[in-house]
Amino acid sequence: MTETKMIKAKINDIPVEVPAGTTILDAARKIHVNIPTLCKHPDLNATAGCGICIVKVKGSNKLLRSCCTDISEGMEVTTHDSEIIQVRKTVLELILSNHPDDCLHCGRNTNCELQNLAAHFVIRGVPFHTYKNSLPKDFSTGNIVLVPNKCILCGRCVDVCQNIQNVWALNFVGRGISTRIAPAGDILLADSPCVRCGQCAAHCPTGAIVEYDNTYDVWHALHDKDKYCIVQIAPAVRVAIGEAFGYEPGELLTNKLYAVLKKLGFKTVFDTNFSADVTIIEEATEFVSRFTTGGTLPLITSCCPSWVDFMEKYQIDMIDHFSTCKSPQQMMGALTKTYFAEKEGIDPKKIFMVSIMPCTAKKYEISRTKDMSASGIQDTDAVLTTRELSRMIKQSGIDFKNLPGDDPDHIMGDYSGAGTIFAATGGVMEAAIRTAYHYVTGENLKDVNVEAVRGLKGVKEGVIDIKGTKVKVAVAHGLGNVEYVLNKVKEAKLKGEEPPYHFIEVMACPGGCVGGGGQPYGVTDYLRTERAAGIYKDDVDQEIRCSHDNPMIKKLYQEYLGEPGSKKAHHLLHTHYEPKPVYIK
Amino acid sequence: MKEQSNTSFTLSPAVLEYIDKWKDKPGNLIMTLHKVQEEYGYVPRSAALQLTELLDIPLAKIYGVLTFYHLFKLKKPGKYLIQVCIGTACYLNGGEDILQELEHILGIGVNQTTPDELFSIEAVRCIGCCGLSPVMNINGEIFGKLKKEDLAKIIAQYTK
Amino acid sequence: MSFNRYILIYRESDAGVDKNENLFDAFMKELGEKDPSNSVQVVDAVMNGKADPDSTLVKIIPDNIYFKCKDPVDAIKIVDDFIIKNNPVKKLEAAANNIQYRIVLRNCGVIDPENINEYIAREGYSALEKVLFDMTPDEVIAEIKKSGLRGRGGAGFPTGNKWAFTQQAVGDVKYVVCNADEGDPGAYMDRSTLEGDPNSIIEAMAIAGYAVGASKGYIYIRAEYPLAIKRLEIAISQATEMGLMGKNIMGSDFSFEIEIRYGAGAFVCGEETALLASLQGERGMPKPRPPFPAVKGLWGKPTVINNVETLANIPVIIIKGSDWFNRIGTEKSKGTKVFAVTGKVKNSGLVEVPMGTTLRDIIFTVSGGIGNNRKFKAVQTGGPSGGVIPEKFLDTPIDYENLVALGSMMGSGGMIVMDEDDCMVDVNKFYLQFSVDESCGKCAPCRLGGRQLLTYLQDIAKGNGDLKDIDKMKRIGNAMQKASLCGLGQTTSNPIQSALKYFYDEYEEHIVHKKCRAGKCLELLTYTINPEKCSRCGICKRVCPASAISGDRESGFAIDNAVCIKCGECYNRCKFDAIDRG
Ligand SMILES: Cc1cc2nc3c(=O)[nH]c(=O)nc-3n(C[C@H](O)[C@H](O)[C@H](O)COP(=O)(O)O)c2cc1C
Ligand code: SF4
Ligand code: SF4
Ligand code: SF4
Ligand code: SF4
Ligand code: SF4
Ligand code: SF4
Ligand code: SF4
Ligand code: SF4
Ligand code: FES
Ligand code: FES
Ligand code: FES
């Protein structure tokens, strides 16, 4: 890269020097001035919709949008004066003139960018006419809820869904005052190509897109004497939930989570990291078998339900490449209602299996196909996102911060470092490599850290040397990055060439599950990095770093499943895929 | 990345030929939608679904465009589309009255179609005949210097 | 404006320049001595039609008096007697003349627009030939810069500079886009030009392409203009056949092709970034600028976007030279401007006049004034983005800066004349409704502010207004001006702001006295039955939907205004004109 030109300018009379291409907004942050924003999100293109971030630039009689105007040489910017603040306030009042005043009944109450601004600008009423929209809520997916009356048309969801995720479930519909956010032609979200990744909800500044809240289903089960409630915690939750309780981002809170879940009334606490280890055993077996017997390659990971859904809709010709392994959540569900139930002599019908996930799509996954009822009944009964769990904890009155940690139930609670890194992009790949290496060579890697697949680069490519055998891998996160990787595969196929990769990991959410659609609000690359750092620390902290070395896994296979890839394993731990035409209605 | 749908509708040969010509030109969506509307009088959902596949444009994008531009219709209009100008000149010279009278005569409002599917009324902005204001346009025929009293007769010509 | 008087020195097109220069100098010199406060501006103006070969026509504004000058002595007399002493100079006075001057519309109605040969016969494509063989792109741009031509699409940005930016922008591919989206309600200048002289536009686009280094042009045109589209298509295909368009034009190494793209009913697509989005097949929502299209335009490539009328000037400037063009008009606004004069004038139609012509001349001299024995009330220029100009400013010479100073703007050239029967609140409501309908909805200030303003106007028109609403409207209008993303939202409140400036009393009447003096705000009207005229037919009582009319054929009928819903049904149906409304 050529060196970037530096720009010298002044903001509020303070000199700044920033690289060319820096927005006024970002340049102001450098001198510790925060310009309010509403439609701009650091992950996304500026839509320039709200007009809150306006600033004065000397020599221009207009106010400019700082979120999408690059600072230029010699510019003299004023970010705050009485006129600017007055205009911002009026714009805010205009936005609120078309907003339902029902914070108290809102999914974003106390955690809403619009509400915050209204508080900061001392809005005590809208001095103009007020118009309340009366568009219907859309509950059709059962996990992503659209509340269009609360939408301020910032366009973030549209940008995320179209450009980051390449799904195009949502778009602006209509024009002018009747503009709204909706799937093509105002159909239900469930009839659109939506893959339920929840990135729209994660990026929405208001309560206009939220997860379907299942906390009361879980409370009911917990209070039901006939139910035996069991819970599992996904890897990504432990490094994010702290944000809701004032911890630094990335703080690892595994044992506190075990403790709090027990306090909430769960009789047994398992860890999805354990079933992630199971996933690796099955997937690495599948990979090594395909690799050594000339099966369909590349093998593509399947533990992200949004990605699975996306593939079934858009990449049907890739079905054969998909790993048949279920996700760790579903493996845990199936094993709980079979292996654990049998061992403990509990009627599986009485078990209420809850999983705590960073993910909205996991809510959909539990009833995706009848494979998700491998135990004979639905294997996982309810899914709570990290956000929902934090609400439940607050409701329960448990003093999370001062609560001493606890241990999980060991039969399916102990995990290896490989299981935990599932939370970050590249983690599944890295975990699988650790075990595949062992399966091929009989030894463990000397350095189990596979740096090539870590980090936030959209597509990561690497070559893994398994004692002379070169395994080519690719990792993509954010569905929009998938096309690049798959096109390479398809091109090679068309030309009859060797596949460009042997193994591909895809996670729908940018950053992987640490950046999942159900994680605490306000995700940025900074948070993704911090959360991932917490996860990698968890990995390093583990004595056992490889799934196949987890003694409880060995026990599971010895006692129950037999060989990896056995018939029983297949029945409980694997699934199948079918093409899904979109817009059937 | 094509969106697959299972519609049995097929676009007319004229439209398909047009699409063939425009397929590889960037930014062809609006031109193609014009062609579809010219053929069917509106843009049926089944046609939009087919465009998705033929042009490889997501349906959500097509609907985003369709609903943005007021010329595109999602519902079938009547046999005769009456466009009453309420541009500035026509407004000042009584365009609103013409519109009201038409609504009265036909018993429908703007953007509605009579039950016999004969007439639809639309209010449009300046059709470039300000010198003749107030003006209306029925299927391409311009009526200028309109007076409320003339309307019933004009409509009667079309109901015959 | 620091000037309180203008002296317009007319010459007949490009003839007689020398003669005028003497006169010009004489005026300047005399004024320099006698008018040290510099309150008079001398304007070099151009007229159409035959002039007296022996004398020059001079017009004084705002006095609206014409003089015939033969030599510099006359200039001294006019300054000394008329300007300084305010004495009439009868012996030099002259009658007004035909002040239209056609550059843009030079061929309209004169040639067959579907026959390229007729265009060629009137020097058509000789400008393109001249640039291709005698001029470098830099020279072309320099010439346009020197001509002082400013964009006719609204903002009046100097065309030469715009071309230069695009030329200097880095890019392998560049585009020329003709903005033919003319969406201002009540304006049809571009349509007439395209229908009457399509070749001039495509020739100009090729010249622009040569100058900036583009080989592809797009014409973005309203789909509502089928005839213009057809004629453009004919022009392009005839020109291509003759080697005037397409590959290696006239045997040179310059190639240029033009494609036509339709709009689909969205006024905001006239805004350049929205236009580009629409050309790309997207929703026509504006984007922040910078980056300007000149740097990052169509498909991210440097793009020059020009209005139809701007382009129509180009070939003439190339052929006749920038010096010629530069002399027409005022100091900062050169050339002519086409206006679509409509509303309450006797002769509505297109008018092309030199910049610097007064509104009064356009409305009264060219368009015949107001009909029906009504009095002039105001004129709106600049369409929904502009404002109203009252009687007392009718003598302002039109140019970009003067109109802005009056709280309006040049805009694309719609000129809507209003008389006493028009109500300012009602007219503002009309424009607001337009802007609200046409707002793309992307940005909050415009989407929501426009709707608020419209609602306040509706309240006022219904008699539900409050004087405090005016402050709220001003506050909202200001926020819209400052925080809207594009020109549409930034100017939506202009009509209201100008009406509040010049016609505040009318607003006050509506709000405080619940009266609409023009009788347009129907809900402020009262209906009464005039017993003198009433034949007691009883129709009104039968048709009244509110049962507001009582009485019978014996005792007569009366309207209870407390019950009346102002629907006007009785008024319309009474065959005896017996119902008064006011
Ligand atoms: C809301 C809006 C509508 C506009 N409509 C038109 C239009 O219809 N035609 C046009 O030429 N310019 C229109 N403009 C101005 C264009 O954005 C642009 O300035 C112009 O096309 C540039 O060409 P010019 O430099 O030749 O004037 C509009 C601007 C705005 C903000
Ligand atoms: S979106 Fe925010 S401001 Fe709106 S109701 Fe919900 S919490 Fe309140
Ligand atoms: S913030 Fe105000 S409105 Fe909301 S609960 Fe508290 S007192 Fe009530
Ligand atoms: S959940 Fe994902 S796919 Fe569905 S609308 Fe939101 S961003 Fe798009
Ligand atoms: S739903 Fe949320 S993210 Fe989407 S436009 Fe509305 S406010 Fe913005
Ligand atoms: S990446 Fe993780 S959080 Fe995101 S959809 Fe997939 S499984 Fe869910
Ligand atoms: S000012 Fe109005 S028209 Fe322009 S971008 Fe904003 S909402 Fe759209
Ligand atoms: S319709 Fe006219 S004439 Fe008849 S009763 Fe009423 S006011 Fe009198
Ligand atoms: S205006 Fe309408 S409501 Fe009033 S008296 Fe006449 S018919 Fe009745
Ligand atoms: S934050 Fe910049 S316009 Fe909304
Ligand atoms: S946390 Fe389980 S697959 Fe992501
Ligand atoms: S305003 Fe009606 S035709 Fe122009």
Side-chain angles (χ1 to χ4, degrees):
Chain A
M1 234 177 81
T2 50
E3 66 182 86
T4 13
K5 212 181 121 206
M6 293 303 280
I7 301 284
K8 283 198 183 112
K10 272 188 179 167
I11 298 178
N12 302 339
D13 284 331
I14 302 169
V16 279
E17 192 168 349
V18 290
T22 306
T23 60
I24 298 174
L25 179 72
D26 290 337
R29 286 193 180 134
K30 289 247 156 81
I31 56 155
H32 314 296
V33 170
N34 285 327
I35 301 169
T37 56
L38 192 49
C39 65
K40 175 75 180 113
H41 188 286
D43 284 352
L44 305 173
N45 298 321
T47 61
C50 71
I52 293 284
C53 67
I54 41 158
V55 294
K56 267 185 198 161
V57 172
K58 200 169 171 190
S60 165
N61 56 355
K62 287 184 201 144
L63 297 180
L64 297 179
R65 284 166 157 66
S66 60
C67 69
C68 49
T69 309
D70 289 351
I71 199 159
S72 58
E73 191 61 40
M75 214 181 226
E76 291 180 38
V77 181
T78 308
T79 63
H80 293 75
D81 69 14
S82 62
E83 188 196 4
I84 297 170
I85 290 170
Q86 176 64 45
V87 172
R88 282 183 191 144
K89 183 170 181 196
T90 307
V91 171
L92 196 54
E93 285 166 342
L94 285 172
I95 293 171
L96 292 170
S97 75
N98 186 216
H99 196 80
D101 290 330
D102 65 350
C103 299
L104 285 176
H105 318 130
C106 184
R108 291 298 290 269
N109 193 13
T110 74
N111 197 350
C112 168
E113 294 179 37
L114 179 60
Q115 195 185 44
N116 286 345
L117 276 180
H120 301 164
F121 279 84
V122 200
I123 304 285
R124 295 286 180 265
V126 174
F128 313 129
H129 295 96
T130 52
Y131 314 89
K132 309 289 174 212
N133 293 345
S134 51
L135 295 159
K137 292 185 188 176
D138 182 345
F139 291 105
S140 60
T141 62
N143 35 64
I144 308 292
V145 183
L146 304 183
V147 192
N149 293 344
K150 296 194 176 173
C151 174
I152 57 163
L153 297 175
C154 69
R156 290 185 188 176
C157 56
V158 172
D159 195 23
V160 147
C161 189
Q162 298 182 352
N163 300 327
I164 307 267
Q165 298 301 64
N166 198 17
V167 175
W168 288 83
L170 292 175
N171 198 1
F172 292 105
V173 176
R175 184 220 279 182
I177 47 178
S178 50
T179 311
R180 60 210 175 275
I181 298 298
D186 288 313
I187 53 169
L188 293 174
L189 192 60
D191 299 329
S192 83
C194 171
V195 299
R196 283 104 161 164
C197 64
Q199 283 303 314
C200 49
H203 286 84
C204 180
T206 71
I209 307 186
V210 289
E211 71 284 340
Y212 187 94
D213 190 294
N214 289 106
T215 50
Y216 276 89
D217 301 341
V218 174
W219 279 125
H220 280 304
L222 284 170
H223 294 153
D224 184 340
K225 283 197 195 69
D226 292 334
K227 287 255 150 62
Y228 187 100
C229 291
I230 304 180
V231 68
Q232 58 170 317
I233 317 161
V237 177
R238 65 205 66 204
V239 287
I241 191 148
E243 290 163 33
F245 295 92
Y247 287 88
E248 285 301 307
E251 180 99 33
L252 190 61
L253 296 166
T254 318
N255 297 91
K256 252 190 210 299
L257 274 169
Y258 297 148
V260 84
L261 288 166
K262 284 189 179 165
K263 281 250 185 283
L264 283 172
F266 288 101
K267 293 211 173 74
T268 303
V269 175
F270 288 148
D271 198 319
T272 313
N273 287 9
F274 172 86
S275 50
D277 279 337
V278 182
T279 305
I280 287 305
I281 301 296
E282 290 297 315
E283 201 157 310
T285 306
E286 189 180 9
F287 175 69
V288 170
S289 135
R290 287 200 194 192
F291 194 77
T292 50
T293 64
T296 310
L297 285 175
L299 179 72
I300 305 178
T301 60
S302 60
C303 45
C304 167
S306 289
W307 162 230
V308 168
D309 199 37
F310 187 87
M311 181 276 293
E312 291 183 323
K313 284 167 176 161
Y314 290 120
Q315 303 284 358
I316 301 158
D317 44 343
M318 287 286 130
I319 283 188
D320 294 344
H321 293 268
F322 251 57
S323 162
T324 56
C325 292
K326 287 180 182 171
S327 73
Q329 160 173 284
Q330 290 311 121
M331 290 196 178
M332 178 64 88
L335 290 172
T336 301
K337 290 195 180 175
T338 54
Y339 172 56
F340 172 75
E342 282 167 37
K343 230 175 140 72
E344 296 292 311
I346 304 169
D347 176 2
K349 289 198 188 65
K350 290 202 163 159
I351 295 179
F352 192 82
M353 179 75 212
V354 176
S355 50
I356 313 296
M357 292 283 144
C359 179
T360 47
K362 295 277 177 190
K363 287 179 189 264
Y364 143 83
E365 186 188 33
I366 58 177
S367 55
R368 194 179 74 85
T369 63
K370 64 175 184 356
D371 298 344
M372 303 301 137
S373 306
S375 64
I377 45 173
Q378 189 172 307
D379 299 328
T380 307
D381 294 289
V383 176
L384 298 181
T385 59
T386 312
R387 295 193 291 265
E388 286 165 274
L389 177 65
S390 64
R391 278 178 223 141
M392 241 178 128
I393 296 171
K394 287 176 180 169
Q395 190 187 149
S396 70
I398 300 166
D399 179 0
F400 187 69
K401 268 206 143 162
N402 294 310
L403 186 70
D406 200 345
D407 285 333
D409 287 277
H410 294 292
I411 169 166
M412 293 200 283
D414 296 335
Y415 59 89
S416 76
T420 205
I421 57 175
F422 265 54
T425 165
V428 179
M429 173 67 71
E430 182 170 342
I433 289 167
R434 292 182 191 173
T435 292
Y437 187 92
H438 174 78
Y439 284 171
V440 174
T441 63
E443 305 168 10
N444 274 357
L445 277 163
K446 268 196 213 76
D447 179 6
V448 294
N449 300 319
V450 188
E451 296 290 344
V453 297
R454 295 185 183 181
L456 288 182
K457 206 167 145 241
V459 174
K460 293 166 278 187
E461 297 170 302
V463 181
I464 312 297
D465 188 343
I466 303 190
K467 291 233 163 142
T469 311
K470 306 275 186 220
V471 178
K472 289 180 277 180
V473 302
V475 172
H477 58 115
L479 288 171
N481 288 320
V482 173
E483 218 168 341
Y484 169 84
V485 173
L486 293 193
N487 281 351
K488 272 178 112 171
V489 174
K490 288 176 194 176
E491 255 168 54
K493 226 190 226 181
L494 225 68
K495 293 195 194 136
E497 287 169 2
E498 279 276 291
Y501 313 110
H502 301 112
F503 200 179
I504 299 173
E505 179 204 292
V506 177
M507 286 289 162
C509 298
C513 302
V514 288
Q519 293 281 56
Y521 288 117
V523 71
T524 55
D525 276 351
Y526 166 74
L527 282 186
R528 292 184 184 98
T529 308
E530 291 300 307
R531 291 172 188 169
I535 282 295
Y536 287 115
K537 180 173 175 298
D538 193 24
D539 174 23
V540 174
D541 286 350
Q542 302 304 317
E543 237 164 80
I544 294 165
R545 305 278 302 275
C546 299
S547 303
H548 54 269
D549 291 334
N550 182 342
M552 297 311 284
I553 295 283
K554 290 185 186 155
K555 189 168 171 211
L556 166 70
Y557 277 91
Q558 274 160 14
E559 283 185 5
Y560 195 67
L561 294 172
E563 287 300 302
S566 69
K567 202 158 171 228
K568 191 163 194 177
H570 253 275
H571 171 66
L572 293 176
L573 308 179
H574 290 251
T575 180
H576 74 288
Y577 311 102
E578 278 163 19
K580 282 189 197 156
V582 292
Y583 296 117
I584 350 178
K585 296 221 173 119
Chain B
M1 189 193 86
K2 288 206 166 79
E3 284 173 5
Q4 316 277 323
S5 61
N6 40 9
T7 155
S8 52
F9 175 90
T10 344
L11 289 160
S12 73
V15 176
L16 290 174
E17 195 186 309
Y18 189 87
I19 290 174
D20 229 37
K21 216 171 73 197
W22 278 85
K23 210 162 150 174
D24 298 323
K25 294 195 187 174
N28 50 16
L29 177 58
I30 293 176
M31 295 304 276
T32 318
L33 291 172
H34 273 299
K35 184 72 189 173
V36 171
Q37 180 149 308
E38 182 190 314
E39 189 82 358
Y40 302 97
Y42 71 117
V43 182
R45 185 160 177 94
S46 41
L49 280 165
Q50 246 186 8
L51 288 185
T52 288
E53 285 187 39
L54 293 173
L55 300 175
D56 195 9
I57 295 177
L59 194 69
K61 177 164 181 180
I62 295 183
Y63 271 88
V65 166
L66 276 174
T67 56
F68 184 84
Y69 295 97
H70 284 181
L71 233 53
F72 294 129
K73 292 180 198 25
L74 296 175
K75 274 195 240 127
K76 199 177 163 78
K79 185 168 167 208
Y80 301 109
L81 179 60
I82 310 177
Q83 297 177 313
V84 182
C85 179
I86 45 161
T88 320
C90 292
Y91 181 81
L92 290 182
N93 286 318
E96 291 267 271
D97 293 345
I98 299 295
L99 194 59
Q100 269 178 19
E101 181 69 10
L102 263 181
E103 291 178 348
H104 186 77
I105 295 175
L106 294 173
I108 52 170
V110 173
N111 293 332
Q112 291 178 351
T113 304
T114 51
D116 59 5
E117 296 191 351
L118 217 47
F119 296 101
S120 308
I121 310 181
E122 250 178 41
V124 296
R125 301 285 181 192
C126 191
I127 47 180
C129 313
C130 313
L132 295 175
S133 58
V135 174
M136 72 178 179
N137 172 350
I138 306 184
N139 285 12
E141 196 176 340
I142 307 282
F143 297 86
K145 303 252 178 211
L146 283 170
K147 294 203 181 57
K148 264 169 39 174
E149 302 82 76
D150 309 337
L151 291 173
K153 245 190 274 159
I154 297 176
I155 297 299
Q157 287 173 23
Y158 287 91
T159 38
K160 271 193 294 221
Chain C
M1 272 180 311
S2 57
F3 300 115
N4 54 29
R5 258 194 173 120
Y6 296 83
I7 300 178
L8 272 55
I9 306 178
Y10 286 105
R11 59 197 153 84
E12 182 191 359
S13 60
D14 39 342
V17 170
D18 294 346
K19 182 179 73 185
N20 279 9
E21 264 169 19
N22 293 335
L23 206 59
F24 202 93
D25 294 343
F27 270 112
M28 294 301 280
K29 186 159 170 282
E30 192 61 18
L31 283 169
E33 287 168 16
K34 304 278 164 67
D35 172 38
S37 63
N38 204 12
S39 65
V40 180
Q41 191 187 22
V42 185
V43 178
D44 184 9
V46 177
M47 65 177 183
N48 197 18
K50 278 192 284 294
D52 186 340
D54 304 324
S55 64
T56 300
L57 197 66
V58 170
K59 184 181 179 188
I60 315 293
I61 290 167
D63 314 83
N64 206 22
I65 283 179
Y66 290 88
F67 295 108
K68 256 188 207 156
C69 298
K70 282 203 167 59
D71 54 64
V73 185
D74 295 342
I76 295 170
K77 191 159 180 58
I78 291 171
V79 172
D80 292 0
D81 289 2
F82 188 81
I83 305 275
I84 306 297
K85 301 195 187 117
N86 271 325
N87 291 331
V89 190
K90 283 276 180 235
K91 87 175 190 339
L92 292 177
E93 266 181 37
N97 212 304
N98 180 5
I99 48 161
Q100 286 215 53
Y101 183 59
R102 296 185 155 218
I103 297 176
V104 173
L105 302 173
R106 61 195 178 278
N107 293 326
C108 293
V110 179
I111 61 168
D112 174 3
E114 301 191 6
N115 182 350
I116 193 172
N117 289 317
E118 294 200 12
Y119 178 68
I120 293 171
R122 286 174 60 96
E123 295 193 295
Y125 291 100
S126 50
L128 181 57
E129 186 181 3
K130 183 170 169 188
V131 303
L132 289 184
F133 298 102
D134 300 339
M135 295 171 86
T136 64
D138 287 336
E139 283 166 355
V140 176
I141 289 176
E143 192 70 9
I144 301 300
K145 273 190 186 168
K146 243 174 76 194
S147 76
L149 177 66
R150 293 169 67 175
R152 302 292 193 244
F157 191 81
T159 307
N161 293 358
K162 197 187 254 191
W163 289 16
F165 291 145
T166 314
Q167 188 203 33
Q168 287 150 16
V170 193
D172 44 344
V173 180
K174 295 178 184 178
Y175 296 103
V176 174
V177 173
C178 168
N179 186 344
D181 191 46
E182 194 170 55
D184 174 359
Y188 53 99
M189 304 77 47
D190 294 349
R191 165 180 150 151
S192 305
T193 311
L194 292 166
E195 288 178 0
D197 195 13
N199 277 288
S200 68
I201 305 304
I202 64 175
E203 180 183 6
M205 288 176 70
I207 293 170
Y210 175 76
V212 306
S215 56
K216 173 118 196 173
Y218 289 92
I219 301 176
Y220 183 85
I221 185 166
R222 289 183 80 190
E224 294 92 328
Y225 285 177
L227 185 63
I229 293 173
K230 181 182 144 212
R231 292 194 169 154
L232 279 168
E233 277 168 353
I234 292 172
I236 293 169
S237 84
Q238 287 180 348
T240 310
E241 242 165 65
M242 297 179 71
L244 301 171
M245 228 18 88
K247 284 242 159 341
N248 300 89
I249 295 175
M250 303 181 204
S252 69
D253 9 315
F254 176 64
S255 300
F256 193 76
E257 59 166 317
I258 294 178
E259 208 175 288
I260 301 176
R261 294 292 180 97
Y262 308 162
F267 169 69
V268 68
C269 288
E271 194 280 338
E272 49 194 26
T273 58
L275 184 152
L276 294 177
S278 186
L279 256 179
Q280 292 171 192
E282 295 157 17
R283 292 166 59 88
M285 300 199 292
K287 297 192 174 78
R289 297 175 306 174
F292 287 94
V295 178
K296 223 171 155 212
L298 199 57
W299 293 294
K301 308 291 182 192
T303 303
V304 58
I305 303 174
N306 277 128
N307 162 262
V308 170
E309 189 180 329
T310 313
L311 289 169
N313 279 294
I314 300 289
V316 187
I317 293 173
I318 296 292
I319 293 172
K320 299 199 177 176
S322 56
D323 289 339
W324 166 82
F325 189 82
N326 205 288
R327 284 218 174 73
I328 310 167
T330 65
E331 191 197 338
K332 285 192 181 151
S333 304
K334 300 298 182 187
T336 60
K337 179 78 195 85
V338 186
F339 292 98
V341 187
T342 58
K344 302 299 178 54
V345 284
K346 279 195 194 133
N347 318 314
S348 54
L350 290 189
V351 174
E352 182 172 358
V353 289
M355 295 280 191
T357 307
T358 64
L359 287 161
R360 190 184 300 280
D361 272 343
I362 295 173
I363 296 165
F364 288 90
T365 312
V366 185
S367 304
I370 315 287
N372 299 331
N373 283 322
R374 296 284 158 180
K375 263 184 33 210
F376 171 89
K377 181 176 204 166
V379 56
Q380 174 121 0
T381 66
S385 319
V388 283
I389 298 171
E391 166 93 41
K392 66 175 169 185
F393 295 115
L394 276 188
D395 292 309
T396 312
I398 289 185
D399 73 4
Y400 290 98
E401 281 71 24
N402 283 351
L403 289 178
V404 170
L406 290 179
S408 182
M409 58 188 271
M410 183 77 82
S412 56
M415 196 175 270
I416 313 291
V417 180
M418 294 161 231
D419 66 15
E420 314 153 76
D421 289 345
D422 294 311
C423 161
M424 275 305 142
V425 176
D426 183 60
V427 168
N428 281 167
K429 212 174 74 186
F430 168 80
Y431 281 118
L432 250 294
Q433 183 73 56
F434 178 85
S435 297
V436 168
D437 287 350
E438 297 301 332
S439 161
C440 82
K442 178 178 189 165
C443 71
C446 168
R447 179 181 73 241
L448 301 163
R451 183 194 206 176
Q452 290 284 351
L453 293 179
L454 178 61
T455 314
Y456 282 117
L457 290 173
Q458 286 166 340
D459 286 351
I460 293 172
K462 280 188 198 148
N464 297 333
D466 186 313
L467 281 177
K468 281 197 202 112
D469 292 351
I470 291 185
D471 295 329
K472 290 181 185 171
M473 286 166 75
K474 283 187 178 158
R475 180 155 146 229
I476 293 170
N478 180 49
M480 290 177 75
Q481 264 174 3
K482 296 282 159 49
S484 291
L485 177 60
C486 86
L488 195 151
Q490 286 159 7
T491 59
T492 290
S493 67
N494 285 2
I496 299 181
Q497 308 224 5
S498 74
L500 285 174
K501 191 151 119 198
Y502 300 126
F503 295 96
Y504 184 83
D505 51 336
E506 260 187 65
Y507 265 84
E508 209 174 37
E509 261 170 35
H510 281 75
I511 294 170
V512 181
H513 308 293
K514 315 286 177 210
K515 258 200 97 56
C516 172
R517 62 170 95 161
K520 279 276 171 182
C521 299
L522 296 180
E523 277 152 278
L524 299 185
L525 298 178
T526 50
Y527 291 81
T528 40
I529 292 175
N530 179 347
E532 317 258 283
K533 287 192 185 166
C534 176
S535 73
R536 302 191 175 179
C537 69
I539 286 191
C540 55
K541 183 173 177 184
R542 260 188 287 132
V543 298
C544 175
S547 303
I549 304 181
S550 59
D552 52 39
R553 303 193 66 156
E554 314 288 273
S555 55
F557 296 90
I559 295 173
D560 180 351
N561 264 294
V563 182
C564 168
I565 56 166
K566 330 277 186 196
C567 72
E569 224 17 53
C570 56
Y571 176 86
N572 289 335
R573 294 295 190 87
C574 172
K575 292 198 179 67
F576 302 89
D577 257 350
I579 295 181
D580 294 334
R581 117 176 145 171

